[in-house]
Amino acid sequence: MPKRRVLSLWFPRLGAERLIRQDPMLAEPPFAVLRDTGQMQVIASMNGAAQAEGLSLDQPLRDAQAMCPGLLTRLQNKRAEALFLTSLARWAGKFSPWVAEQTPASLLLDITGCAHLYGGEEAMLAQVGEDCADLGLTVQAGVADTVGAAWALARYAGQPGAQLRSGDAIDQEARATRSRAVKRRHWERGGAAPRVGLLPAQSYRIAPPGQTYAALAELPVVALRLSEAASTQLLRLGIRKIGDLLGQPRAGLARRFGKDLVMRLDQAMGHQPEPVSPAAAPLRFAVRLSFPEPIGLEEDILAALDRMLPRLCQRLKDKAQGARLLRLQAYRTDHSMQEIEVGLARASDDPHRMRPLLAMKLSDLMADFGFDMLRLEAPLTEHLSVRQMTGHAEAGRQVNERLERSTAMDDLLGRIGARVGLERITRLHPAESHIPEKTHTVLAAAWSEPFADPWPDYGLERPALLWRPETVTAPDSPAVPREFRWRGRLLTLHHARGPERLAPEWWLDEPDWRSGTRDYWDITCAEGDRLWLYYAHGGAISSGWYCQGSFA
């Protein structure tokens, strides 16, 4: 069995080079991508010209502009960089099927048994460098037996240890004390680390199988993926290289620096497993149909859908998925594209339920010179539970009938939603509250089930229409007024039933309930109106009469 081999690809200028690919004019002048920290803007990525000017990562923008007045900047788009890294992961699939992303700018590949397809590991890395050069990307690669070792080689191979700003370095001391620091000029003896030169376009380091110890011994301790606090503490104690740690007692290291240091050492040396965990490929459900001659009639498009929908639904059934959203893209002969979208009230893999919804929206397509290709996809899907028939034949027939009846309402919602939008169709569910306007919850009908139990009985009849309280002009008295004015109309009392006293929720401060306790009345007017009025006894605002609903 071949020994496990891991390839780490690090793109140190990913953010800057992504924008340079879009605008090649940014390649020549000093250019940096900025990250907003809330208090200031700092450099997140830069090109080689900016690094040649002495700029560094995490440097504040004001300091960078003082060193390089001609610096060009752009704000960082983390979402776009993550998508770009995902596209690079798809490209890296040509070298190994086992690719994992390490945000923000790294890829991990398990190349066990794959390198011989390219003539060896060196030839594979040469191909990686050639591809990245064609893509305009700077890459540093490391190959080792473990993830930690490959990660360290890709970033720190051939580089000195990190500099500790503690005052011990020769260039940090006062002029009068520098004469005493001559013997400590080397970075291994407490001196300042030499400046790292410009990053090469491609650099590689391969640790032969079984030689992880020798490959990591001369690397700085920060190559172990330690926290900044742990790395600083090690540097203060004079432990600058990984080789200095490998000979130390493990119990003492864990007691003084924590278990994370020992775990990182074990992962780098292969004593503790660290698998490469690639992200599962997203499920994509799409079909397309090309035509030898352009089409433009609705009958022709429907005929094409009759051929595309069964194929799409079969793919959905194979993965036990149901479509909630369908998108039809029509490509015209002038290289333009139009699309329509329809939503389903319930996830489905039945083409007979999808076709009527798409047919309702075909009038939105403008054929002009005709369509030469149609593409149908389901961008939003849900898992469908497989139903198994059990029992006698009659029981199975009844189950089928019940399932067929249950789709009628869903189809109706889908057809109405295709015209007005599924988000505009709602249904009510009861809620646990004595406040009239809180006794129900508004849910989207397409993403909720009907309330199966009987609606709660509140003892008293509730109005059919509810609105926010409206002021009623009447005497400020708890007694029901004989006459009152509401919405510009003078109404006369015919019959009153009540009162029903409701108190506000004392743990909430709601503006509509600052008038205090309410006495609700069912008022029938001589003019024929039947209203739901209440008298507010006063609280944060004054008392008075209000109208909140109508029974008609």
Side-chain angles (χ1 to χ4, degrees):
M1 181 177 179
K3 190 173 183 62
R4 185 191 184 210
R5 301 292 284 169
V6 178
L7 167 62
S8 177
L9 299 179
W10 179 43
F11 305 94
R13 299 174 181 152
L14 182 70
E17 290 172 341
R18 182 188 69 85
L19 295 175
I20 292 175
R21 283 167 51 87
Q22 299 175 359
D23 185 2
M25 299 298 293
L26 299 174
E28 296 297 332
F31 171 65
V33 178
L34 303 178
R35 181 180 68 254
D36 194 347
T37 63
Q39 293 79 21
M40 67 180 74
Q41 292 180 341
V42 298
I43 296 179
S45 180
M46 56 186 170
N47 63 356
Q51 188 177 3
E53 295 289 337
L55 305 185
S56 59
L57 297 179
D58 296 327
Q59 183 178 13
L61 175 60
R62 58 179 180 272
D63 297 343
Q65 289 178 332
M67 297 176 59
C68 181
L71 179 67
L72 301 179
T73 61
R74 297 287 189 276
L75 285 178
Q76 185 183 33
N77 187 338
K78 293 184 179 181
R79 174 63 177 168
E81 291 181 6
L83 292 176
F84 185 52
L85 184 64
T86 300
S87 65
L88 290 178
R90 292 196 296 269
W91 157 78
K94 65 183 289 186
F95 302 103
S96 170
W98 217 248
V99 183
E101 300 178 25
Q102 281 191 324
T103 55
S106 180
L107 296 176
L108 275 179
L109 291 79
D110 191 333
I111 59 173
T112 306
C114 299
H116 72 279
L117 300 176
Y118 291 86
E121 293 176 350
E122 293 185 1
M124 174 183 282
L125 293 184
Q127 183 63 46
V128 170
E130 182 179 346
D131 291 354
C132 290
D134 295 339
L135 295 173
L137 298 176
T138 300
V139 63
Q140 294 184 223
V143 179
D145 296 339
T146 64
V147 172
W151 188 94
L153 292 174
R155 289 160 175 77
Y156 296 98
Q159 296 188 18
Q163 182 178 0
L164 178 64
R165 306 293 298 182
S166 62
D168 293 336
I170 184 65
D171 59 353
Q172 301 174 31
E173 295 180 347
R175 186 181 300 274
T177 60
R178 289 187 180 181
S179 59
R180 294 177 296 179
V182 175
K183 296 182 180 181
R184 293 188 275 111
R185 288 188 178 183
H186 197 271
W187 69 275
E188 295 181 355
R189 299 174 182 174
R195 288 185 175 273
V196 180
L198 295 181
L199 292 173
Q202 288 88 26
S203 63
Y204 318 113
R205 178 67 180 271
I206 300 177
Q211 299 187 21
T212 304
Y213 183 100
L216 297 183
E218 297 300 320
L219 298 185
V221 291
V222 292
L224 288 176
R225 299 175 290 173
L226 302 177
S227 64
E228 184 177 356
S231 300
T232 302
Q233 190 175 5
L234 289 171
L235 291 176
R236 286 175 178 171
L237 295 177
I239 302 177
R240 299 176 176 270
K241 299 183 295 184
I242 297 178
D244 300 335
L245 281 174
L246 295 176
Q248 300 295 327
R250 295 171 54 84
L253 291 176
R255 183 170 55 254
R256 183 157 190 172
F257 302 102
K259 296 181 179 179
D260 184 66
L261 173 61
V262 178
M263 181 191 69
R264 290 302 188 185
L265 273 174
D266 290 344
Q267 289 177 343
M269 304 309 300
H271 303 316
Q272 182 171 336
E274 187 178 7
V276 177
S277 302
L283 295 176
R284 299 184 183 276
F285 302 96
V287 294
R288 68 177 181 178
L289 184 62
S290 301
F291 311 106
E293 294 292 338
I295 64 173
L297 300 178
E298 287 191 14
E299 293 79 5
D300 297 336
I301 300 177
L302 287 174
L305 289 176
D306 291 337
R307 298 180 60 182
M308 300 168 66
L309 281 172
R311 293 164 48 197
L312 177 65
C313 292
Q314 185 59 46
R315 296 185 181 183
L316 292 170
K317 292 178 181 178
D318 293 342
K319 298 295 183 179
Q321 296 288 315
R324 287 300 300 265
L325 182 67
L326 291 175
R327 180 182 298 141
L328 177 63
Q329 297 174 336
Y331 293 84
R332 296 191 295 200
T333 55
D334 58 354
H335 302 289
S336 61
M337 186 268 290
Q338 289 185 317
E339 67 177 23
I340 57 175
E341 289 185 354
V342 296
L344 285 83
R346 188 184 299 271
S348 174
D349 56 7
D350 186 1
H352 301 291
R353 297 183 57 192
M354 303 177 185
R355 187 182 187 276
L357 301 178
L358 291 169
M360 294 174 59
K361 303 284 286 186
L362 291 183
S363 58
D364 296 342
L365 298 177
M366 302 296 294
D368 289 344
F369 297 101
F371 303 117
D372 55 6
M373 188 183 75
L374 295 179
R375 183 175 184 270
L376 181 63
E377 66 172 335
L380 181 61
T381 61
E382 291 182 3
H383 178 73
L384 287 182
S385 299
V386 179
R387 300 185 179 95
Q388 297 182 353
M389 303 303 300
T390 58
H392 300 288
E394 182 62 22
R397 184 185 62 81
Q398 294 178 359
V399 170
N400 281 332
E401 291 179 355
R402 186 166 62 252
L403 293 177
E404 290 176 359
R405 288 196 303 268
S406 65
T407 62
M409 179 58 69
D410 299 330
D411 295 339
L412 176 61
L413 293 177
R415 288 193 295 271
I416 298 177
R419 295 184 179 274
V420 301
L422 284 175
E423 68 280 357
R424 297 187 179 182
I425 308 175
T426 60
R427 62 162 50 101
L428 301 181
H429 277 211
E432 295 183 358
S433 178
H434 68 281
I435 304 299
E437 56 268 26
K438 292 185 177 181
T439 55
H440 62 271
T441 303
V442 180
L443 303 176
W447 287 272
S448 61
E449 297 290 338
F451 186 69
D453 299 330
W455 198 269
D457 185 10
Y458 298 101
L460 295 175
E461 186 179 1
R462 286 287 187 260
L465 298 177
L466 276 179
W467 51 72
R468 293 192 62 180
E470 299 178 357
T471 303
V472 173
T473 304
D476 189 358
S477 171
V480 180
R482 295 296 178 181
E483 290 184 347
F484 58 90
R485 186 175 296 274
W486 172 67
R487 291 185 179 179
R489 300 170 56 200
L490 182 62
L491 302 176
T492 304
L493 175 66
H494 175 69
H495 177 73
R497 185 176 63 174
E500 177 188 2
R501 176 161 291 187
L502 296 179
E505 296 172 331
W506 56 267
W507 57 92
L508 296 177
D509 182 18
E510 298 188 19
D512 291 341
W513 280 83
R514 291 177 180 173
S515 56
T517 304
R518 301 175 179 178
D519 287 342
Y520 280 90
W521 293 83
D522 180 0
I523 302 296
T524 303
C525 302
E527 290 77 10
D529 299 271
R530 187 182 174 192
L531 304 176
W532 206 38
L533 272 64
Y534 70 83
Y535 177 77
H537 288 266
I541 60 177
S542 59
S543 58
W545 283 93
Y546 297 88
C547 181
Q548 194 177 357
S550 172
F551 291 89

